[in-house]
Amino acid sequence: MTTAPQESPDSLPLCYRMLFERNPLPMCVCEAGTLRVLAANQAAASHYGYSTSEFVGLTLLDLHDPQDHLPLQDQLQQPVDEERPRHQLWRHRHRSGAAMQVETVTQDIEVDGLRAHIVLMRDVTDQRRAEQAQRELADRLTSTLESITDAFFTLDHNWCFSYVNARAEMLLHRTRQQLLGSNVWEQFPEAVGSVYQIEYQRAVQEGKTASFETFFEPWQVWHSVRAYPSEQGLTVYFHDITEQRLTARRLAEERDTLAAVVNSTHDAVISVNVAGLVQTFNPGAERIFGRTASSMLGQSMEILMPERFRAAHRQHLASFDRAEDSTRMMGLGLVRGLRADGQELDLEGTIVKFTIEQQTRLLVNLRDVTERVRTDAESEQSRSQLSDLTQRLMSQEKTLVKRLAQALHDQVGQTMAAIRMAHETVVAVQAGQVTPEVDRLQSQLGLLISQAIRQVRQVLIDLRPPLLEEHGLASALDNELRNRSLVVPKIDFAISVAPEVAAMRWPSDVEYAAFMVAREAIENALRHSGSASVSLSLSGGPLSLQLEVLDEGSGIPSGATQRSGHLGILGMHERAHAVGATVTMDSDPSHGTRVQFNWQAPS
């Protein structure tokens, strides 16, 4: 295309002028150096929004973005092989100012003796936009495929990898460089003949999507796979479901274990919906209620209770459904049930609220305690009879002790006093008149008489606590400790009673029981604990009484605090129970033994 004409474009041969002017691509001729446009074809004028005469008045720089002026001038100043035109992509401006991307082909020529450039301009703006949109679409698609949690790869018709995303690299334990272009069966010979190959080939042959789950033994993993055939080959999505499989297996095992527990328990386990219709009915329920599971499924739970309780049961069920708590006892510890044969049952029950598939269910656990309730009632009756007997015995004991004490004081005591006086009189009359042997015998007799009198007094104290009836419990306990300190001076005895409590009085049988419990506890501490101190505290009000005896000894041996373990301790419990009180014991070698007597007036 190199030429060096001496005439203007208008004087060019007709074929060249027609090739220039009628070319559908914009073309212009500009002077070298000044870049002034010498000629332009109609396509150039129209494309840039000028008339032909207006276009000729421009320079080549007027068509370019200002930022491209220097690069353009530098390029045009460089020598070029006449056989190789310059190709370049530039930013041009339409007359309106709109930007366009233009690919130019520039060739040096001579026109009327002037050096010039003939420039062909091809607008590639739409092409570039399409290419950019295609690149952006490809980038978005790639980004999407790289960001999805599924592993993704494509295979061509030769079963070779054509695309592999990052997740697939991780799950396939291969890099893209290792996989792309390689045959899938050569990369993974362990999969030949497996479910993977069978399903992939079926999808391609039948043109249908394949979806399956399978275990890949070499890696000990489960995969969930979806394979989609296409004109390009096969597209595969897959992900590792090993953890889900293990979780499902654990849940199945737990469900089977729970079912085994529910089916083997002797308790009735029944699930119902919020309307009270039975959903499950275990063998324990069948045994307790005498009904089969098949006959109960879908039936109202009210069948299992006496008719007089059914209306209240509906209200309780609705209330529990609205409540925030999810577990509660049924009834006040016991509910009544009804067997198929009409026999009424005593049941202990709990009810639990839970959700399955967004539906509320209620799980009822019932234990047949009919026999236990009957035994407890008999035991309570026996206990009540024993308590009545204990009270009568205590009353008789108090009466007998009082009579015996009175007899000892008024009769035996007076007789012993008379014997002592008679003996002293005889000794005084015979003074100096008896032999030494008789004198020795009289002295021994006097000692025996004194000892008998002391023993009678001690028996009186043991039978009838001093000061208890006349001055109350606080005075009697204080006197008891004083007497004990005289007998066992090495033991430190202490009593703590507030002044307002010291003057308080309680029912006589309560005071008597409390005193006897305290005496037994003190005696046990002196005999068995080895403690160097025994302390007693008394507190309470007009309608309550608390008594505590504490030592710092070795504690009560294991088992001795039980009612059947020690007669003295058993006696304390029986005395307390007879007056409506309780006795508690806390014993340990590290801190000794604490015995507490607690009485509360009945409301």
Side-chain angles (χ1 to χ4, degrees):
M1 192 172 168
T2 303
T3 182
Q6 299 298 317
E7 58 272 293
S8 68
D10 291 336
S11 62
L12 290 173
L14 178 62
C15 61
Y16 284 99
R17 188 169 62 251
M18 291 179 64
L19 179 64
F20 176 79
E21 292 178 350
R22 296 184 181 182
N23 197 310
L25 296 176
M27 297 180 67
C28 70
V29 177
C30 62
E31 183 182 6
T34 65
L35 302 181
R36 179 173 57 87
V37 177
L38 301 176
N41 67 356
Q42 185 60 43
S46 299
H47 193 77
Y48 283 87
Y50 297 96
S51 66
T52 304
S53 59
E54 288 174 333
F55 203 100
V56 171
L58 301 175
T59 69
L60 190 59
L61 295 177
D62 292 330
L63 302 179
H64 283 71
D65 187 278
Q67 294 183 7
D68 289 345
H69 288 180
L70 289 178
L72 174 65
Q73 291 171 331
D74 290 342
Q75 186 196 67
L76 294 177
Q77 289 173 2
Q78 295 175 0
V80 65
D81 186 345
E82 293 181 353
E83 299 298 327
R84 295 172 55 198
R86 298 182 181 92
H87 290 75
Q88 187 68 35
L89 185 66
W90 301 100
R91 291 170 291 182
H92 280 197
R93 296 285 182 180
H94 189 271
R95 181 177 187 178
S96 65
M100 65 182 77
Q101 287 186 310
V102 177
E103 183 181 58
T104 64
V105 179
T106 305
Q107 179 69 53
D108 293 344
I109 63 173
E110 284 189 12
V111 178
D112 296 335
L114 297 175
R115 289 182 61 250
H117 308 294
I118 183 168
V119 183
L120 184 146
M121 299 166 285
R122 186 167 68 92
D123 188 346
V124 295
T125 304
D126 292 341
Q127 176 186 336
R128 289 287 174 163
R129 286 175 179 170
E131 291 174 352
Q132 180 64 25
Q134 187 175 7
R135 284 194 297 271
E136 290 177 355
L137 178 61
D139 290 343
R140 285 197 298 271
L141 179 59
T142 300
S143 176
T144 300
L145 294 176
E146 292 298 322
S147 62
I148 62 176
T149 57
D150 279 6
F152 170 84
F153 64 83
T154 58
L155 301 172
D156 62 21
H157 292 293
N158 295 320
W159 300 103
C160 294
F161 287 97
S162 54
Y163 182 84
V164 179
N165 75 347
R167 183 64 177 168
E169 287 184 292
M170 182 183 302
L171 295 187
L172 295 175
H173 308 291
R174 304 281 196 282
T175 65
R176 297 181 197 191
Q177 291 74 17
Q178 292 173 304
L179 293 174
L180 291 176
S182 64
N183 185 279
V184 62
W185 311 123
E186 293 176 358
Q187 282 284 347
F188 304 100
E190 308 93 334
V192 174
S194 69
V195 175
Y196 297 95
Q197 187 178 45
I198 294 171
E199 290 294 331
Y200 288 175
Q201 290 178 344
R202 184 181 64 81
V204 171
Q205 292 169 1
E206 299 179 4
K208 296 180 179 179
T209 299
S211 181
F212 59 93
E213 292 182 359
T214 187
F215 182 70
F216 192 51
E217 189 170 354
W219 296 345
Q220 293 294 298
V221 297
W222 281 88
H223 287 149
S224 175
V225 185
R226 288 164 293 151
Y228 302 92
S230 67
E231 294 181 358
Q232 290 74 34
L234 190 68
T235 299
V236 178
Y237 294 86
F238 70 103
H239 59 277
D240 186 340
I241 59 170
T242 307
E243 186 61 33
Q244 294 93 312
R245 280 278 185 161
L246 293 176
T247 300
R249 181 186 300 173
R250 286 195 297 269
L251 290 175
E253 290 175 353
E254 291 174 1
R255 185 168 54 249
D256 292 343
T257 301
L258 179 60
V261 171
V262 170
N263 290 334
S264 63
T265 182
H266 291 288
D267 293 350
V269 181
I270 306 167
S271 68
V272 300
N273 59 20
V274 292
L277 301 181
V278 175
Q279 307 296 305
T280 61
F281 201 77
N282 78 328
E286 292 181 312
R287 179 184 57 80
I288 290 175
F289 291 100
R291 299 177 183 272
T292 63
S294 58
S295 69
M296 283 301 302
L297 295 182
Q299 299 297 315
S300 174
M301 189 181 176
E302 293 180 359
I303 298 174
L304 306 177
M305 61 187 65
E307 188 172 354
R308 62 185 182 277
F309 297 111
R310 294 176 183 176
H313 169 73
R314 297 186 203 114
Q315 297 176 358
H316 293 324
L317 205 62
S319 173
F320 182 54
D321 181 42
R322 296 189 301 267
E324 294 184 0
D325 56 325
S326 59
T327 304
R328 66 172 57 171
M329 294 287 294
M330 296 184 69
L332 298 176
L334 287 177
V335 292
R336 299 289 284 179
L338 182 67
R339 282 179 55 86
D341 59 10
Q343 176 190 351
E344 290 196 7
L345 305 169
D346 289 301
L347 305 168
E348 283 182 344
T350 57
I351 184 169
V352 178
K353 180 168 53 179
F354 63 99
T355 302
I356 293 182
E357 297 179 351
Q358 299 181 341
Q359 292 185 349
T360 300
R361 295 283 183 87
L362 305 176
L363 185 68
V364 180
N365 184 278
L366 297 167
R367 174 171 295 178
D368 185 359
V369 293
T370 306
E371 186 62 26
R372 193 192 74 192
V373 170
R374 183 188 63 78
T375 303
D376 288 347
E378 292 176 354
S379 297
E380 183 59 30
Q381 183 179 5
S382 299
R383 184 68 184 171
S384 177
Q385 293 173 348
L386 178 61
S387 178
D388 292 341
L389 177 60
T390 302
Q391 287 182 331
R392 289 197 298 271
L393 290 175
M394 287 181 61
S395 177
Q396 291 175 3
E397 177 192 37
K398 287 178 64 176
T399 302
L400 179 60
V401 165
K402 186 173 182 179
R403 289 178 179 176
L404 182 58
Q406 186 174 0
L408 288 173
H409 181 272
D410 295 344
Q411 299 176 21
V412 178
Q414 296 296 332
T415 301
M416 292 302 300
I419 291 173
R420 182 173 186 174
M421 291 179 61
H423 175 261
E424 290 176 351
T425 301
V426 170
V427 171
V429 170
Q430 294 180 347
Q433 300 178 13
V434 296
T435 64
E437 180 62 23
V438 173
D439 188 55
R440 183 181 64 79
L441 292 173
Q442 288 181 341
S443 296
Q444 288 182 352
L445 181 60
L447 293 174
L448 291 173
I449 293 172
S450 298
Q451 181 179 354
I453 292 174
R454 287 195 304 272
Q455 290 175 341
V456 170
R457 289 176 178 173
Q458 185 60 46
V459 170
L460 283 171
I461 292 173
D462 292 340
L463 291 175
R464 190 175 181 183
L467 307 179
L468 182 60
E469 292 186 2
E470 294 83 2
H471 299 284
L473 182 58
S475 297
L477 291 173
D478 180 71
N479 184 71
E480 178 72 14
L481 292 184
R482 291 178 185 275
N483 289 335
R484 296 280 185 174
S485 65
L486 295 177
V487 178
V488 194
K490 293 182 179 180
I491 303 297
D492 182 19
F493 293 94
I495 184 169
S496 173
V497 184
E500 63 273 15
V501 177
M504 238 172 237
R505 297 302 303 266
W506 294 274
S508 61
D509 56 344
V510 174
E511 290 187 340
Y512 183 77
F515 181 87
M516 297 304 289
V517 168
R519 173 177 280 180
E520 181 66 29
I522 294 169
E523 185 66 25
N524 288 339
L526 295 178
R527 289 185 179 183
H528 309 297
S529 73
S531 174
S533 65
V534 176
S535 61
L536 187 149
S537 64
L538 181 65
S539 60
L543 301 178
S544 64
L545 169 63
Q546 293 83 41
L547 174 66
E548 179 180 278
V549 179
L550 176 66
D551 66 59
E552 299 178 353
S554 58
I556 301 175
S558 177
T561 57
Q562 302 300 320
R563 292 191 174 191
S564 60
H566 192 278
L567 290 177
I569 296 174
L570 177 62
M572 286 192 281
H573 282 288
E574 294 301 333
R575 286 185 182 278
H577 188 268
V579 296
T582 60
V583 169
T584 57
M585 296 185 186
D586 174 24
S587 183
D588 189 271
S590 62
H591 57 69
T593 301
R594 175 185 287 104
V595 178
Q596 293 178 311
F597 175 95
N598 291 279
W599 172 80
Q600 192 79 27
S603 56

